Amino acid sequence: MVRPIYLYGSEVLRETAQPADLEKKEEIKALVEDLWETLRASDGCGLAAPQIGVSLRVVVVDGDIMSDVYPYLKDFRRTFVNPVVLGESDRYCEYNEGCLSVPGIYADVRRPESLEVEYYDENLEKKRESFDKFAARMVQHEFSHLDGVLFTDLLAPIRRKMLARKLQNIAHGKAHTAYKTKLK
């Protein structure tokens, strides 16, 4: 089911998401299906459960949508349930990020170049994997949502100040999107 995406200003986006109960396999499976359907309907490259109003540590990323720019992302699709970052690169890079929950705003964000993650996939099988380049960027952006952090929180104070009015407008429901949204 396609769900509305919660916008900047929604409380659920600021919560630390709880681990998903791996014993509730059918609930997790349904949530993952909703995340994928909602992501496809919004033309994004990643979505975290808090963005659809569910404060659980579940994320989906789809790099295939970016494979025209980054060919190495062809067929790169991952589901992360209860991900844990095991390590990050000491090297950092900047990239212009946007977010379905913060429509119309883009800014350069500094993040580690690579990371190693342990997680459960869509079949609740435990995995350990390393990510770099844009795959690492997508994964880190979505994982930030699980800790109540938006990409705008990672900007320099002067940049955040410059975006304050736009962010305030989004928080007051003045955002135009081609996908269903919600404020709460």
Side-chain angles (χ1 to χ4, degrees), residues 131-143:
F131 302 98
D132 63 2
K133 302 179 185 174
F134 196 76
R137 172 72 46 172
M138 290 187 303
V139 168
Q140 290 176 83
H141 177 104
E142 298 310 325
F143 286 5

Side-chain angles (χ1 to χ4, degrees), residues 30-76:
L31 174 59
V32 167
E33 287 176 15
D34 287 356
L35 282 165
W36 280 115
E37 287 182 36
T38 303
L39 182 62
R40 279 190 286 277
S42 63
D43 288 329
C45 62
L47 196 60
Q51 290 180 274
I52 62 169
V54 180
S55 193
L56 290 177
R57 300 186 79 75
V58 180
V59 164
V60 297
V61 294
D62 183 356
D64 198 53
I65 195 169
M66 301 290 292
S67 64
D68 56 332
V69 177
Y70 304 110
Y72 59 86
L73 291 176
K74 182 82 174 133
D75 298 322
F76 178 85

Side-chain angles (χ1 to χ4, degrees), residues 93-112:
C93 60
E94 279 193 15
Y95 189 85
N96 196 266
E97 292 187 21
C99 181
L100 295 170
S101 292
V102 190
I105 294 181
Y106 301 90
D108 288 341
V109 178
R110 188 173 184 261
R111 295 190 190 265

